[in-house]
Amino acid sequence: MLLAVVGPGIITGNVDNDATGITGYALAGSQFGYELLWLLIVTAICLVAIQSMVARMGTVTGKGLSDLIRERFGIAPTLWVMIFLFFANAATTVAEFAGVGGAAQLLFGDVARYAAIPVAALLVWFLVLRGSFRVVERVLLLLTLVYLGYIVSAFLAHPKWSDVIHHTVVPTFHLTPSFILIFITIIGTTITPWMAFFQQSNVADKGLHPNDLKYERIDTVAGILMLNVVAFFIIVATGATIYAAHVTVNPSDPSAFSKIALALKPLAGQYAEQLFAIGLLNASLMAASVLPLSTTYAITEAFGLERGIDKSFREAPAFLTIYTATIIIGAGIAMFPGAPLVLITNLPNIINGMLLPLLLPLLILLANDKRIMGRYANSPLFNVFSGAVMVFLTAVTLAFLASIFFPGLFGGR
């Protein structure tokens, strides 16, 4: 029974380890060593609260999150949510194609990005709308085994494990703009709005019922654990190599991806760049396939429009137009000459981190509505749990905004 139910949670967790994820965690490790490892425990707890609610809503109602938002709050709030979601996911799609460009540069030289990005865009569009997307998705998921390279490399780099354990369980925080920026980057790359829409739609499409709820909870927690284990070892690997060697990684530096690849040197030696490039390319292609599709399903579902990857343009014009436009915009911006690819790849993490406090209240209200959820509505204890998550995410976002509008508020560095 468990094997029949699992999938939405594990796929969501693995897809979240995309180009933006690899970049965000690598920047955290390379700039602050192990000091942000403890935050992964916090983000895992936050993810359990958020993804448990969407998994429960999808299982109980058989509907996607966009559908429920429209039914509960009406057209106007739904429109605003979809506008925010589109821009956040469009920025992330740009980042995925930037990841393709960065991987191509590492493998074949600087000019390779201008060929690789349009080829990748065409390949993604064709495979999803005209090819066997499910087969490709399984192959890409299999290729996520490249992430195991970070685990091996972290051990081979011989980090001081007492320091790793210390920073995992003892919080470290600096009231400096750079630390707060990486802090919200980690939150934004680990907890993203699209995950909520994607997993709930997957659960609903899978046709799960309330009897399957306990198995879907296992699936959800498993996906969160897989996501955070990979994140943990990326930070350890980059902290034990790049940070320990005092290599400065500036996201606006065109060679930043090459420097991040040094984290795999204990495992791959002179082939570290190539191994990192393969992992980055795989992660980027998988997310570039799933993310625009998730966005398109959410928007068309929200407004009751015809949708489906097997539909013709005449049958589902809005669906195909939004999907195609998202890919064209993402690939086009990522091809700008001289674009700082690492900076582009990291920017959506910041945007997602700022949008989370806007989405979470809607999730909590929906999960508490007994007309929708019946006896599966949030318990008082779960409301305290999810409320604490909302307060934490809001406080982090406000601190980040304060650091932007009042640059001297938190000092230097």
Side-chain angles (χ1 to χ4, degrees), residues 60-368:
V60 172
T61 66
K63 296 178 180 179
L65 183 55
S66 300
D67 222 350
L68 292 183
I69 290 174
R70 186 190 73 245
E71 290 179 4
R72 174 67 173 77
F73 301 106
I75 292 294
T78 304
L79 178 62
W80 282 110
V81 171
M82 291 302 108
I83 289 173
F84 283 130
L85 180 70
F86 176 80
F87 280 107
N89 287 1
T92 310
T93 303
V94 173
E96 307 308 344
F97 285 111
V100 170
Q105 282 184 335
L106 290 177
L107 289 171
F108 306 111
D110 290 345
V111 298
R113 63 183 281 199
Y114 301 108
I117 291 175
V119 168
L122 187 60
L123 181 66
V124 164
W125 185 91
F126 179 81
L127 288 174
V128 172
L129 296 183
R130 296 291 177 264
S132 180
F133 173 63
R134 294 302 177 191
V135 173
V136 175
E137 183 184 56
R138 291 188 183 99
V139 172
L140 291 174
L141 279 173
L142 182 64
L143 289 175
T144 57
L145 292 174
V146 171
Y147 299 142
L148 295 177
Y150 287 105
I151 299 176
V152 178
S153 191
F155 280 99
L156 292 178
H158 301 295
K160 191 175 179 181
W161 288 106
S162 59
D163 287 349
V164 172
I165 294 169
H166 172 80
H167 286 296
T168 302
V169 297
V170 179
T172 302
F173 195 86
H174 305 292
L175 277 176
T176 62
S178 58
F179 190 89
I180 292 172
L181 178 63
I182 293 296
F183 191 92
I184 200 168
T185 292
I186 295 299
I187 292 172
T189 192
T190 310
I191 314 168
T192 59
W194 72 261
M195 291 175 71
F197 289 91
F198 181 72
Q199 183 167 348
Q200 184 163 335
S201 292
N202 254 10
V203 167
D205 288 346
K206 204 173 177 73
L208 302 185
H209 301 286
N211 291 340
D212 303 317
L213 193 52
K214 62 180 179 181
Y215 300 110
E216 181 51 31
R217 284 177 179 143
I218 295 172
D219 176 47
T220 298
V221 173
I224 292 169
L225 284 175
M226 293 169 71
L227 161 62
N228 280 274
V229 165
V230 171
F232 178 88
F233 282 105
I234 290 176
I235 293 177
V236 171
T238 51
T241 52
I242 302 171
Y243 180 79
H246 306 291
V247 176
T248 302
V249 179
N250 185 341
S252 61
D253 181 359
S255 65
F257 273 133
S258 181
K259 291 179 179 178
I260 289 173
L262 291 174
L264 291 172
K265 197 166 185 179
L267 169 66
Q270 62 178 322
Y271 301 106
E273 281 194 3
Q274 289 84 349
L275 182 61
F276 174 78
I278 292 169
L280 182 64
L281 180 62
N282 172 69
S284 301
L285 284 174
M286 181 161 65
S289 302
V290 171
L291 196 65
L293 190 61
S294 171
T295 308
T296 308
Y297 266 110
I299 293 173
T300 51
E301 178 185 85
F303 301 108
L305 301 171
E306 190 65 42
R307 56 194 180 273
I309 58 177
D310 57 342
K311 304 289 185 182
S312 67
F313 185 83
R314 180 173 294 180
E315 293 171 318
F319 181 90
L320 294 177
T321 299
I322 294 170
Y323 182 78
T324 304
T326 304
I327 289 179
I328 291 173
I329 291 170
I333 295 176
M335 286 183 65
F336 277 14
L341 298 183
V342 173
L343 185 62
I344 291 174
T345 310
N346 193 45
L347 185 61
N349 298 332
I350 302 166
I351 296 173
N352 284 325
M354 293 172 64
L355 286 178
L356 284 169
L358 301 177
L359 177 63
L360 197 50
L362 300 181
L363 293 181
I364 294 173
L365 287 172
L366 286 170
N368 274 285

